[in-house]
Amino acid sequence: MNTVSAIKKIFECAGKILAVTLIGILYVALCFFMLIFIDWRIIFTAATLIIPLVVFLVGWCMPDSKARKRTFSANAVIFAVIILCIICTVFVNVYEHAVTIYDLPYDQNTLAERYSPFDDGSDIARLESEPDFKFGKNAPVLHAQSCYYSLASSFVNAYYSESEYSDDCLDTRTFLSTAYPQNGLLLTNSSSIHEYYPEDLRIYGNTTIAKDPLVFYTHKNNKVTDLSTEELKGILGGKITDWSDVVGNGKIKLYTRHDVTTAKNLIFQNLNVAAITGETKLEFNPVFCVFGMQNLYYRNERGAIGFTFLSEIRNNPDAYSNTRALTVDGVSAYDGEAVRKGLYPLCSDIVAFTQSPMAENEKRLIEIMLSSDGQSLVEKSGLVPVK
């Protein structure tokens, strides 16, 4: 009878071990795949729940009741500590998301959904009344850099005929290529032209239709309100790292917009300084199972400073509601007249041009862009009109 009981106990413990092992393997596998969707710190903290699971297994298989109770008591403490750590990690993650400003999504599908022409529910700028002129079948093809797709879509909506409109008339294809000239009118910023087009490539038209100043911003309660050009160069270049060198105190946390090179090009072209990498974080890559340093989105905390174009802020106002734009040399990027006069030191021209001799319908579209109605669309799209 004792032998039977012992064998039964062995099979019982073996079954428990197998069951918990399978649960553990499934749990670890689930954690691994959840890394794609959830912050890795939460997953890693939650993965430590395997410890009380194993301790529970050990206590479960103990023949001595007193030892089992002591094991279960210790396990309860371990479980409580891990749960507390998970809660703290979740709160940290929630806080980081609350103060983090994420860039507007500029993928083609999102742009087409939010700024679709001829859609009453889209967010494009619109004229107060129907224009006297509309393109028919001879409407020019309009390419737009992704961040200015909404402006291009506004012109298509106002001046193109919906019945004659073709999907090929408007897109955000990567036209910043010198491999071959592309047909149609190209809408981009001047700093991108300097960066991607060689001097020997002929560009026709190259007409400035709007301006997009680069805005430097910080937490709304930060004491600093203005930066001189030299102070800005010092911060961007990494020579000034504490606000006490400007006004206030505390470490300067610089965020440099990790996925956008246009602003960095503009800074280098105007201030002759390369913006340093700025704040970084450890990012776990579940595909290659390695840690790598990646730039961080701007976190609106005391001491933080970031930059983006005015059009981004105006098209995403809720995200920037707790920030304050800094003036540069006493000039505000929101002062349209000062921007037009060139008094604001960091401003990108938004230009329309072609890579081949301009057709009549393309010249006509540029004239429309510079008209009073066209400039009103520019302003409603978050940019500074040139007239």
Side-chain angles (χ1 to χ4, degrees):
M1 191 70 175
N2 290 336
T3 304
V4 174
S5 298
I7 294 174
K8 185 177 180 181
K9 189 69 175 179
I10 291 173
F11 276 105
E12 183 180 329
C13 285
K16 293 175 181 177
I17 292 172
L18 181 61
V20 175
T21 301
L22 290 175
I23 292 172
I25 292 173
L26 290 173
Y27 182 75
V28 172
L30 178 63
C31 288
F32 181 80
F33 285 108
M34 286 178 68
L35 281 169
I36 302 172
F37 309 103
I38 302 178
D39 187 273
W40 66 270
R41 292 166 297 181
I42 297 177
I43 298 299
F44 276 19
T45 308
T48 57
L49 286 171
I50 197 71
I51 296 173
L53 191 62
V54 172
V55 174
F56 176 78
L57 168 65
V58 173
W60 195 16
C61 294
M62 283 183 175
D64 185 60
S65 60
K66 290 184 178 180
R68 188 185 305 118
K69 287 181 180 179
R70 286 195 296 268
T71 303
F72 286 163
S73 298
N75 195 39
V77 175
I78 295 173
F79 181 76
V81 170
I82 292 176
I83 291 297
L84 181 62
C85 290
I86 293 174
I87 292 173
C88 291
T89 307
V90 170
F91 271 109
V92 168
N93 190 258
V94 169
Y95 169 76
E96 288 179 353
H97 278 75
V99 300
T100 299
I101 295 180
Y102 296 97
D103 304 335
L104 283 174
Y106 283 125
D107 60 277
Q108 179 65 52
N109 291 334
T110 304
L111 287 172
E113 181 179 344
R114 182 176 179 183
Y115 300 112
S116 176
F118 314 116
D119 182 358
D120 293 337
S122 68
D123 294 335
I124 57 175
R126 304 173 192 277
L127 295 175
E128 297 295 331
S129 58
E130 283 292 315
D132 297 330
F133 171 82
K134 280 186 180 289
F135 290 101
K137 293 182 179 180
N138 65 334
V141 174
L142 186 56
H143 300 280
Q145 192 173 1
S146 57
C147 47
Y148 305 118
Y149 181 87
S150 62
L151 176 62
S153 184
S154 297
F155 280 108
V156 169
N157 181 77
Y159 294 98
Y160 285 42
S161 173
E162 183 175 4
S163 59
E164 304 290 345
Y165 173 74
S166 168
D167 290 338
D168 294 332
C169 288
L170 173 67
D171 69 12
T172 58
R173 279 179 285 178
T174 307
F175 60 81
L176 297 177
S177 170
T178 59
Y180 58 92
Q182 298 205 23
N183 66 316
L185 203 61
L186 310 179
L187 202 62
T188 185
N189 57 70
S190 56
S191 55
S192 292
I193 295 177
H194 294 305
E195 177 71 14
Y196 293 104
Y197 286 95
E199 294 181 359
D200 59 348
L201 183 68
R202 299 198 67 178
I203 293 176
Y204 299 84
N206 199 21
T207 304
T208 301
I209 64 165
K211 291 181 177 292
D212 200 5
L214 190 65
V215 181
F216 291 85
Y217 55 89
T218 184
H219 192 280
K220 65 179 182 180
N221 293 330
N222 195 329
K223 291 183 179 180
V224 65
T225 58
D226 178 75
L227 291 172
S228 68
T229 304
E230 289 303 313
E231 289 170 338
L232 202 53
K233 289 174 65 174
I235 292 173
L236 294 172
K239 294 181 178 179
I240 298 178
T241 59
D242 198 283
W243 286 112
S244 60
D245 295 329
V246 182
V247 64
N249 57 69
K251 181 180 180 293
I252 294 176
K253 298 179 180 179
L254 172 65
Y255 296 87
T256 62
R257 294 294 302 276
H258 68 287
D259 60 342
V260 179
T261 59
T262 303
K264 294 181 182 179
N265 294 338
L266 182 65
I267 289 171
F268 183 77
Q269 292 163 12
N270 287 269
L271 300 181
N272 195 29
V273 61
I276 62 173
T277 303
E279 294 293 309
T280 58
K281 69 174 179 179
L282 284 172
E283 189 75 23
F284 184 78
N285 190 320
V287 178
F288 300 103
C289 300
V290 294
F291 286 96
M293 299 299 288
Q294 295 188 3
N295 290 25
L296 193 66
Y297 285 108
Y298 174 87
R299 289 181 184 168
N300 193 34
E301 301 172 310
R302 296 289 182 91
I305 181 172
F307 53 83
T308 190
F309 286 102
L310 180 63
S311 58
E312 167 92 12
I313 298 176
R314 284 179 168 171
N315 286 308
N316 197 18
D318 292 340
Y320 295 88
S321 60
N322 289 318
T323 66
R324 183 178 61 244
L326 301 173
T327 57
V328 180
D329 292 332
V331 183
S332 171
Y334 287 81
D335 186 345
E337 191 61 30
V339 170
R340 277 189 290 272
K341 290 180 178 179
L343 301 178
Y344 190 78
L346 287 158
C347 185
S348 184
D349 290 340
I350 312 306
V351 299
F353 67 98
T354 61
Q355 292 178 268
S356 57
M358 296 189 73
E360 289 301 317
N361 59 351
E362 294 167 345
K363 293 179 181 178
R364 177 62 173 144
L365 182 54
I366 288 181
E367 291 175 359
I368 289 172
M369 291 178 174
L370 294 174
S371 67
S372 58
D373 283 345
Q375 291 294 286
S376 71
L377 289 178
V378 165
E379 188 168 18
K380 290 177 181 178
S381 297
L383 299 161
V384 177
V386 293
K387 292 185 177 181

